[in-house]
Amino acid sequence: MSKQQTTIKLTQTALMAALCYIGFQFLRFDVPIGMEKTAIHFGNTFCVLGALLLGGLWGGLAGAVGMTIADLTSDYVTYAPKTFLLKLCIGLIVGFVAHKIAKLSKEHEKPYIIRWTVISAVAGMVFNVVADPVVGYFYKRYLLGMEDNLAKSLAKITAATTFVNALTSIIIASLLYVAVRPALMKAGLYVRVDEER
């Protein structure tokens, strides 16, 4: 990558991190569960979009940093380490499918781009739907010292909100990527993931 491309990539990563922060901090609907709570939010949408636009590592870091900062500045502060790990993994998975398997950075017909955009988003969100409640259970049970039955109940409820978050993220991130990709290419701001060194 040239110096100019590196600057563009860092700027876009910072922008995606800010969008992930906003998506969780300000576009969030808390779901109270007794003394605990979970949330329906749009942070994952921008994490997926970041991985589609920037590649797995950069998109994952944007999601991890943005949403971890959102946790640290909200009532979700105790979940910040779990958030960092899971959002980084979402980005890595989406980016791997989009750019290593489908090679979305290269020129393709629109139906191919749409199909692989959705497949990539689904891959990352399926991981999250499974991992978030499972990791959440172990995190609450063994790191936060929560009682076993309560941790299991919270994991089940979290699975429902995670599923809703996944569906909205797949739809919105896919639509945004398909719309934004050509505009970035036309403006010379689309840094191809396969050009990175």
Side-chain angles (χ1 to χ4, degrees):
M1 251 192 323
S2 70
K3 189 173 181 180
Q4 180 184 11
Q5 288 175 322
T6 302
T7 302
I8 291 169
K9 181 65 70 105
L10 287 172
T11 304
Q12 290 173 338
T13 302
L15 174 63
M16 293 312 302
L19 288 172
C20 289
Y21 172 84
I22 291 166
F24 183 79
Q25 190 74 314
F26 300 108
L27 302 175
R28 176 182 79 220
F29 308 97
D30 290 326
V31 179
I33 313 164
M35 298 296 289
E36 290 288 319
K37 62 182 170 180
T38 185
I40 294 172
H41 62 86
F42 293 94
N44 291 342
T45 300
F46 297 110
C47 182
V48 171
L49 180 62
L52 290 167
L53 289 170
L54 307 171
L57 179 61
W58 292 99
L61 283 172
V65 169
M67 291 180 65
T68 298
I69 292 171
D71 277 357
L72 292 172
T73 57
S74 70
D75 294 340
Y76 293 87
V77 66
T78 56
Y79 301 114
K82 177 180 81 90
T83 294
F84 187 90
L85 174 67
L86 290 176
K87 303 321 168 191
L88 179 62
C89 290
I90 289 170
L92 291 172
I93 292 166
V94 172
F96 177 79
V97 175
H99 299 292
K100 298 297 182 188
I101 295 174
K103 310 282 188 210
L104 281 185
S105 289
K106 298 183 178 186
E107 292 297 324
H108 298 286
E109 296 294 322
K110 193 167 185 177
Y112 179 91
I113 292 168
I114 293 169
R115 181 173 62 251
W116 279 101
T117 297
V118 173
I119 291 169
S120 302
V122 167
M125 289 295 92
V126 165
F127 161 79
N128 198 50
V129 166
V130 173
D132 194 292
V134 171
V135 172
Y137 165 78
F138 286 104
Y139 187 82
K140 290 170 186 163
R141 177 73 181 104
Y142 297 106
L143 289 177
L144 300 181
M146 195 174 281
E147 195 268 329
D148 185 57
N149 287 335
L150 179 57
K152 283 180 185 174
S153 296
L154 289 173
K156 290 175 186 173
I157 295 168
T158 300
T161 57
T162 302
F163 182 74
V164 172
N165 290 336
L167 285 178
T168 58
S169 295
I170 291 165
I171 294 165
I172 297 170
S174 297
L175 290 171
L176 287 172
Y177 178 72
V178 171
V180 169
R181 182 181 188 267
L184 290 174
M185 286 181 157
K186 187 175 180 180
L189 296 174
Y190 187 80
V191 178
R192 288 176 46 160
V193 174
D194 60 347
E195 290 177 354
E196 294 178 357
R197 298 284 182 259

